[in-house]
């Protein structure tokens, strides 16, 4: 977007961006933590058993990765496709690419993130180094939305760094000192790309990085799955893209300063006319005026903008995915008649939400895990998901004196917290706090409610009110359901009354989005009939918080229910159920809002009658 600004004493930025290639798998960055509590708590609370240690790279290491990536001349991923607009018989590259546009500042798009990746392969030979740059968006304090082709096949925990809150890219002087220009450099804890991402068709090109520590940047929200006006209405003509990508089709240099451009969203018919079968209706959206064949008169995404956001009315509606390259020098971002192509966020909001508000107790793989307490010993255990089975249980110490446990990330820092009620009726929030050097930390217990002994249900479903902050739900002794809107720091606003009649249910659970619309839902079972209902979240408070219930099953014989989020790792919320003989099953979510909300049950084993609390 425009002319590159010079950077004194720095490597030339020749970072190219296209589509992903297969590479190394994901590595864990953090050891599993064991829950402890602060000393001096007034009420009996879980007993400390061990001190968790979080190992993170130093700032010097993160800066070294940035310098290596700056000098890189690699692509984030690559595929070859035949362009439907090219008369040539040579395979053309579809590559994520802003040409044109204007300089802006981070204050106009405070959610913008720089994604730097550098792997020297452990050798002194620079020819095998991998270094590249992508864009991304902060969608919660510890989550970055980006493109799958920037993530798939790369080990971001080991070789990546994310910089936020900076208008200008980092610069390195002749003495090797790297200036982040006010930015915050953060390591990556783990990565997730859409499980159906296809590097050949560039389909399902969305991914989420979980950071090793929360950042200060202001997050941006995703659009909803029912949003159509952002893509076809008047607002669609005001869509904006942001990035540090290439500023000309004739140079590989990316922009030193954040830039933006207006790219009106085009109809599916227009996009398909330009790209034929390469354009996947429903999964893609294209934007911009048709390119002219040169920089003159063209405003378009270009290399380095990959993974960045297309924004309408303050929400992300697209993720920069690819654009045409006909193989002709000087055409790779400006092929005549072409448009920039984006992953359509309305199609992926449900899958992304499962990662933005995950239930991963182990912190390593993005799959939701289980808390279970053994009734005979009162020892709590972490049961980690392996997708369709469970790993060996890990002790969390003594959990006597409590009668309800829920896991929830109430402060959106990427670490799962525990919300539990003591037998005396006090509700506590145990959360992990990093120290100032970010290489260690401890668990802290905070009392958040008193006198909740008569509450018949307490649920931590995620964001119910639609503000991207996690909430709590409770049912009082008279059967009234209340929402306690979270403030994102373990405290809550005044409760809003949803309505009465909830005493008819002997099970009420919820964690995540069961119907794929990016809103937290509830599952309830009638105590008389065994009928199970889905209450779809509406993203609101008060009486309109949930849509009319939908009957999804009849389960009179099951005696324990648990909703932990995405247990299988496919981007859909799942349900765990124990039967009378002690067998535990996972019912995989389908993402549908009908009676087919769950797929075929998968057994997780027997002997689960030994546990009296699931969370």
């Amino acid at each position: 977007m425009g002319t590159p600004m010079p950077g004194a004493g720095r490597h030339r930025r020749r970072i190219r961006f296209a589509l992903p290639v297969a590479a190394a798998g994901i590595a864990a960055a953090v050891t599993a933590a064991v829950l402890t509590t602060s000393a001096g708590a007034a009420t009996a609370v879980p007993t400390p058993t061990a001190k968790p240690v979080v190992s993170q790279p130093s700032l010097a290491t993160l800066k070294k990765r940035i310098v290596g990536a700056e000098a890189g001349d690699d692509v984030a991923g690559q595929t070859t496709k035949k362009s439907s607009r090219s008369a040539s018989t040579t395979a053309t590259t579809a590559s994520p690419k802003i040409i044109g546009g204007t300089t802006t500042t981070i204050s106009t798009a405070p959610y913008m993130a720089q994604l730097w990746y550098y792997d020297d392969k452990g050798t002194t030979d620079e020819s095998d180094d991998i270094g590249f740059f992508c864009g991304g968006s902060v969608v919660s304090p510890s989550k970055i939305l980006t493109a799958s082709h920037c993530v798939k096949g790369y080990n971001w925990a080991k070789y990546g760094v994310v910089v936020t809150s900076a208008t200008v890219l980092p610069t390195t002087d002749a003495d090797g000192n790297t200036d982040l220009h006010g930015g915050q450099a953060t390591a990556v804890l783990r990565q997730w790309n859409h499980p159906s991402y296809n590097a050949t068709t560039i389909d399902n090109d969305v991914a989420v990085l979980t950071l090793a520590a929360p950042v200060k940047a202001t997050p941006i929200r995703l659009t909803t799955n029912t949003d159509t006006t952002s893509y076809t209405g008047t607002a669609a003509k005001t869509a904006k893209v942001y990035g540090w990508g290439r500023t000309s089709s004739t140079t590989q240099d990316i922009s030193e300063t954040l830039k933006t451009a207006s790219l009106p969203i085009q109809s599916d018919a227009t996009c398909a006319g330009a790209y034929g079968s390469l354009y996947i209706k429903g999964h893609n959206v294209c934007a911009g005026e048709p390119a002219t064949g040169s920089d003159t008169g063209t405003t378009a995404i270009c290399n380095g903008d990959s993974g960045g956001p297309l924004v309408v009315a303050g929400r992300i509606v697209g993720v920069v995915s690819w654009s045409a390259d006909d193989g002709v020098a000087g055409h790779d971002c400006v092929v005549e008649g072409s448009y920039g192509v984006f992953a359509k966020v309305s199609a992926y909001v449900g899958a992304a939400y499962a990662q933005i508000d995950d239930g991963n107790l182990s912190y390593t793989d993005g799959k939701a895990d289980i808390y279970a307490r053994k009734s005979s010993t009162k020892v709590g255990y972490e049961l980690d998901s392996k997708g369709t089975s469970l790993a060996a249980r890990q002790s969390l110490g003594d959990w006597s004196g409590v009668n309800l446990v829920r896991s929830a990330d109430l402060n959106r820092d990427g670490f799962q917290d525990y919300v539990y009620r003591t037998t005396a009726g006090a509700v506590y929030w145990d959360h992990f706090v990093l120290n100032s050097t970010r290489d260690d930390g401890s668990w802290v217990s905070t009392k958040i409610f008193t006198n909740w002994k008569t509450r018949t249900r307490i649920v931590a479903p995620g964001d119910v009110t639609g503000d991207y902050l996690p909430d709590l739900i409770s049912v009082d002794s008279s059967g009234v359901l209340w929402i306690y809107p979270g403030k994102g720091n373990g405290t809550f606003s005044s409760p809003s009354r949803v309505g009465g009649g909830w005493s008819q249910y002997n099970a009420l659970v919820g964690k995540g989005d069961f119907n794929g619309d990016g809103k937290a839902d509830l599952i309830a079972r009638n105590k008389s009939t065994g009928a199970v209902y889905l209450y779809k979240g509406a993203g609101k408070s008060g009486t309109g918080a949930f849509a009319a219930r939908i009957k999804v099953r009849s389960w009179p014989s099951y005696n324990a229910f648990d909703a932990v989020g995405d247990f299988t790792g496919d981007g859909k919320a799942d349900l765990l159920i124990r039967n009378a003989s002690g067998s535990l099953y996972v019912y995989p979510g389908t993402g549908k809002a009908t009676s087919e909300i769950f797929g075929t049950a998968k057994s997780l084993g027997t002997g689960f009658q030994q546990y009296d609390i699931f969370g």
Side-chain angles (χ1 to χ4, degrees):
M1 295 186 267
T3 304
M5 296 176 60
R10 58 172 301 109
H11 295 285
R12 184 182 181 215
R13 300 183 190 280
R14 300 191 63 245
I15 301 160
R16 296 178 301 181
F17 134 3
L19 297 173
V21 291
I26 301 169
V30 179
T31 58
V34 178
L35 184 71
T36 66
T37 60
S38 59
T43 309
V45 293
T47 303
T49 55
K51 181 181 179 182
V53 177
V54 179
S55 177
Q56 299 184 66
S58 66
L59 180 58
T61 297
L62 297 180
K63 287 184 174 181
K64 182 179 179 180
R65 294 179 187 176
I66 292 172
V67 172
E70 285 178 334
D73 191 20
D74 297 294
V75 296
Q78 185 171 314
T79 188
T80 56
K81 295 174 145 187
K82 182 70 177 176
S83 170
S84 62
R85 298 191 59 85
S86 173
S88 169
T89 58
T90 303
T92 61
T93 299
S95 56
K97 322 205 162 105
I98 298 179
I99 306 293
T102 58
T103 298
T104 188
T105 65
I106 197 67
S107 61
T108 65
Y111 44 81
M112 284 301 298
Q114 307 164 21
L115 278 54
W116 301 94
Y117 189 92
Y118 176 61
D119 177 9
D120 66 3
K121 297 295 183 179
T123 69
T124 57
D125 182 2
E126 295 184 358
S127 64
D128 63 354
D129 293 0
I130 297 176
F132 62 85
F133 174 88
C134 280
S137 304
V138 179
V139 291
S140 92
S142 62
K143 305 287 182 175
I144 305 294
L145 180 71
T146 186
S148 279
H149 72 259
C150 294
V151 171
K152 176 69 171 179
Y154 299 104
N155 189 333
W156 276 88
K158 191 172 183 178
Y159 302 114
V161 56
V162 174
V163 176
T164 54
S165 302
T167 296
V168 179
L169 297 183
T171 53
T172 302
D173 62 24
D175 295 324
N177 301 308
T178 300
D179 186 352
L180 300 180
H181 300 288
Q184 181 179 1
T186 310
V188 175
L189 176 62
R190 65 175 181 270
Q191 63 195 64
W192 171 89
N193 59 264
H194 195 286
S196 298
Y197 169 65
N198 187 312
T200 301
T201 61
I202 322 174
D203 194 14
N204 305 306
D205 196 13
V206 292
V208 175
L209 297 179
T210 297
L211 302 179
V215 297
K216 300 175 182 178
T218 302
I220 184 173
R221 293 164 64 183
L222 280 62
T223 192
T224 65
N225 76 323
T226 57
D227 181 17
T228 57
T229 57
S230 292
Y231 299 100
T232 61
T234 302
K237 302 305 177 186
T238 63
K240 284 188 174 292
V241 66
Y242 297 87
W244 290 271
R246 284 175 54 194
T247 57
S248 171
S249 61
T250 61
T251 175
Q252 294 291 331
D253 293 348
I254 62 175
S255 176
E256 304 286 339
T257 303
L258 180 63
K259 294 206 166 186
T260 184
S262 294
L263 297 179
I265 295 176
Q266 302 294 339
S267 68
D268 283 332
T270 297
C271 301
Y275 291 114
S277 62
L278 299 183
Y279 178 83
I280 303 172
K281 183 179 178 181
H283 290 187
N284 291 153
V285 61
C286 77
E289 300 295 348
T292 65
S294 70
D295 291 356
T296 304
T298 296
T299 301
I301 54 174
C302 199
N303 301 36
D305 294 317
S306 259
L310 185 67
V311 179
V312 174
R315 293 203 178 200
I316 301 178
V317 302
V319 173
V320 178
S321 186
W322 58 274
S323 63
D325 180 358
D326 61 5
V328 178
H331 279 196
D332 53 348
C333 300
V334 296
V335 174
E336 185 176 358
S338 66
Y339 305 88
V341 180
F342 303 75
K344 192 174 186 179
V345 170
S346 64
Y348 300 107
V349 63
Y353 182 85
Q355 291 298 315
I356 294 170
D357 184 27
D358 66 77
N360 186 210
L361 297 177
S362 68
Y363 311 135
T364 58
D365 59 9
K367 296 183 181 70
D369 305 314
I370 304 171
Y371 167 91
R373 188 184 72 170
K374 191 172 182 178
S375 56
S376 60
T377 63
K378 308 305 180 186
V379 172
Y381 291 95
E382 177 183 321
L383 309 175
D384 290 342
S385 169
K386 296 173 67 176
T388 56
S389 62
L390 291 168
R393 68 186 187 183
Q394 303 172 54
S395 173
L396 297 176
D398 182 8
W399 281 72
S400 56
V402 305
N403 55 25
L404 180 143
V405 179
R406 297 282 182 257
S407 63
D409 184 7
L410 293 187
N411 58 354
R412 283 291 199 258
D413 63 356
F415 297 103
Q416 284 296 299
D417 314 322
Y418 291 90
V419 176
Y420 56 90
R421 182 178 61 185
T422 68
T423 53
V427 178
Y428 286 83
W429 167 49
D430 276 23
H431 54 291
F432 186 66
V433 178
L434 291 167
N435 67 13
S436 58
T437 62
R438 302 189 308 160
D439 61 359
D440 199 352
S442 60
W443 289 88
V444 175
S445 287
T446 303
K447 184 188 291 187
I448 55 177
F449 296 110
T450 57
N451 300 321
W452 273 33
K453 189 173 184 177
T454 60
R455 302 287 171 129
T456 60
R457 301 285 177 263
I458 300 173
V459 185
D463 170 31
V464 173
T465 60
D467 61 1
Y468 268 35
L469 299 174
D471 309 310
L472 282 182
I473 282 177
S474 77
V475 178
D476 65 24
S477 57
S478 62
V480 175
L481 188 144
W482 299 87
I483 297 173
Y484 287 76
K487 295 182 179 180
N489 60 2
T491 64
F492 301 87
S493 300
S494 299
S496 65
R497 187 182 190 274
V498 176
W502 292 81
S503 58
Q504 67 181 290
Y505 301 116
N506 60 357
L508 181 66
V509 295
K511 174 64 175 179
D513 169 27
F514 287 98
N515 69 312
D517 63 358
K519 302 179 183 118
D521 308 313
L522 295 178
I523 300 290
R525 183 182 67 173
N526 186 281
K527 61 186 178 183
S528 300
T529 66
V532 177
Y533 298 94
L534 166 68
Y535 280 88
K536 293 190 299 180
K540 301 176 182 178
S541 269
T543 56
F546 298 98
R549 68 186 189 181
I550 299 171
K551 184 178 179 180
V552 295
R553 285 289 191 280
S554 181
W555 282 325
S557 61
Y558 290 107
N559 57 27
F561 290 74
D562 194 15
V564 296
D566 180 15
F567 179 89
T568 63
D570 64 355
K572 304 178 181 71
D574 309 308
L575 189 66
L576 299 161
I577 301 178
R578 183 185 65 189
N579 67 17
S581 63
S583 296
L584 187 68
Y585 295 88
V586 56
Y587 277 82
T590 64
K592 300 178 182 179
T594 67
S595 60
E596 301 304 317
I597 185 174
F598 300 115
T600 303
K602 173 71 175 179
S603 174
L604 297 178
T606 59
F608 287 89
Q609 67 270 23
Q610 68 183 293
Y611 302 110
D612 61 351
I613 296 178
F614 290 92

